[in-house]
Amino acid sequence: MSETTGASYAAAGVDIEAGDRAVELMKEWVKKTRRPEVLGGLGGFAGLFDASALKRYERPLLASATDGVGTKVDIARRMGVYDTIGHDLVAMVMDDIVVCGAEPLFMTDYICVGKVHPERVAAVVKGIAEGCVLAGCALVGGETAEHPGLLGEDDFDVAGAGTGVVEADRLLGADRIRTGDAVIAMASSGLHSNGYSLVRHVLLNTAGLALESEVAELGRTLGEELLEPTKIYSLDCLALTRTAEVHAFSHITGGGLAANLARVIPDGLHAVVDRGTWTPGAIFDLVGRTGNVARLELEKTLNMGVGMMAIVPAESTEVALATLADRGVDAWVAGEITERGDKESGAELVGDYAG
């Protein structure tokens, strides 16, 4: 039978050899996330996690979450920096899981590219692996998909899913919250991974700022500020549950501080957060001032300098703040839980920002 020069997968734009090369490059980073419960290695059809480790729980509840990092990937692509976006992915997934008090166990990722550049894919996975170490979870598998014709050669996106576990009687949430509880804010590392459609529109498209430009109030280039990795709070939150009584956490992501905090406030109660207890970072002022964005719109879109909140009994605030300080987390009492009365929302910001 004679050979033909007909169509092939490679001719259609999919490079299997490049994909294999990417897997080889990422293996060393995935190994760094290994937990004792993980079986097998990278390359199988499914990641394996020994569930017998959960026998120590009386009634283990599995917590799961999935997320991406939104249009922040466009900044990474423009900057040609691929090893920080993985930190963002882990934070977005695992900091959602820890909110209920669950310990992160394992994670999988999905990387979609227009063309496989092995070193770039490996750099993304390196960031994910480093993030998993910071969150205390294993990276047990993933998928790299090449979509020629749908994505440009330099285009990519990332998503991930994670699983954690919590003892049923230690589940955190709205049912634990009481009047008089303190609301503790934990500082964000910057914009984190939300609101980048607004940020890009204001700073890059409308104002025409260059990612390489030095911005005095930021103390670095705009691109470096916009690529600052999302802070991963998972192990800090778990440490807090071991040293202080915690009623609930709230991960401040899309929708802003008030909307995310309201998600854990029970009917009949209200969270009042005082803006005067902190000063948002310079990037928030830059976006607001450059785009003439109203404060309410900024607060509905960006985290305004707070990435995670803990709700604790008033008498636990001192030990809670000490625990976070010992772990290098900038935290402060930002508000309290009150009777809801005739207020319609579960959380509100009052006063003006300090500074």
Side-chain angles (χ1 to χ4, degrees):
M1 183 175 180
S2 62
E3 293 185 2
T4 68
T5 57
S8 68
Y9 212 15
V14 177
D15 190 338
I16 295 177
E17 291 184 358
D20 292 341
R21 169 65 176 158
V23 171
E24 287 301 315
L25 290 174
M26 67 179 71
K27 280 184 177 180
E28 65 172 297
W29 297 107
V30 175
K31 286 181 181 178
K32 296 179 184 295
T33 75
R34 193 175 182 89
R35 289 176 50 128
E37 305 94 338
V38 175
L39 304 178
L42 193 65
F45 286 96
L48 298 175
F49 190 91
D50 186 356
S52 68
L54 306 184
K55 289 181 178 179
R56 61 187 174 90
Y57 290 83
E58 291 292 327
R59 184 188 170 200
L61 301 181
L62 293 180
S64 65
T66 186
D67 211 338
V69 299
T71 61
K72 190 171 183 176
V73 296
D74 184 58
I75 307 298
R77 179 188 62 80
R78 294 193 195 190
M79 293 285 290
V81 176
Y82 301 94
D83 62 350
T84 63
I85 207 77
H87 285 241
D88 298 295
L89 181 62
V90 176
M92 299 307 289
V93 173
M94 289 306 177
D95 283 347
D96 273 357
I97 284 176
V98 81
V99 161
C100 67
E103 173 193 355
L105 295 177
F106 57 84
M107 183 168 175
T108 57
D109 63 56
Y110 176 78
I111 304 171
C112 179
V113 299
K115 177 179 176 60
V116 172
H117 300 281
E119 290 75 17
R120 294 182 188 178
V121 173
V124 174
V125 174
K126 170 180 178 287
I128 296 172
E130 290 173 338
C132 284
V133 171
L134 293 174
C137 65
L139 180 59
V140 297
E143 171 73 7
T144 300
E146 194 170 25
H147 289 176
L150 293 181
L151 297 174
E153 286 195 3
D154 292 328
D155 292 338
F156 76 103
D157 199 6
V158 296
T163 299
V165 63
V166 60
E167 189 68 74
D169 63 7
R170 296 186 63 80
L171 183 69
L172 304 181
D175 61 317
R176 292 179 178 264
I177 297 175
R178 300 290 183 267
T179 302
D181 282 355
V183 179
I184 293 177
M186 301 179 215
S188 68
S189 56
L191 294 169
H192 283 185
S193 301
N194 295 105
Y196 273 74
S197 293
L198 172 65
V199 171
R200 291 184 306 112
H201 172 71
V202 168
L203 300 182
L204 305 182
N205 300 337
T206 302
L209 298 179
L211 292 172
E212 301 79 13
S213 61
E214 292 282 345
V215 181
E217 57 261 51
L218 300 178
R220 54 180 168 176
T221 68
L222 178 61
E224 289 170 337
E225 177 70 28
L226 298 187
L227 276 189
E228 178 67 35
T230 305
K231 183 169 177 57
I232 298 174
Y233 301 92
S234 303
L235 296 183
D236 302 317
C237 290
L238 291 178
L240 193 56
T241 64
R242 292 192 292 268
T243 62
E245 182 179 351
V246 178
H247 288 166
F249 289 113
S250 177
H251 187 198
I252 310 305
T253 58
L257 193 155
N260 281 285
L261 184 55
R263 294 168 66 179
V264 299
I265 305 300
D267 290 341
L269 297 183
H270 194 69
V272 180
V273 175
D274 182 2
R275 297 184 183 93
T277 60
W278 82 97
T279 302
I283 185 61
F284 302 100
D285 178 67
L286 180 65
V287 174
R289 177 167 39 82
T290 304
N292 193 28
V293 184
R295 184 171 74 178
L296 180 59
E297 185 65 25
L298 279 178
E299 292 176 341
K300 287 167 54 180
T301 309
L302 307 179
N303 66 59
M304 301 307 290
V306 177
M308 181 73 76
M309 305 196 90
I311 300 176
V312 306
E315 60 271 20
S316 295
T317 57
E318 185 174 344
V319 65
L321 291 175
T323 296
L324 293 172
D326 287 344
R327 296 184 61 83
V329 179
D330 182 14
W332 64 94
V333 175
E336 65 176 338
I337 304 299
T338 66
E339 293 291 338
R340 186 168 182 171
D342 59 357
K343 298 183 185 299
E344 294 183 358
S345 63
E348 67 174 328
L349 302 179
V350 299
D352 295 319
Y353 292 110

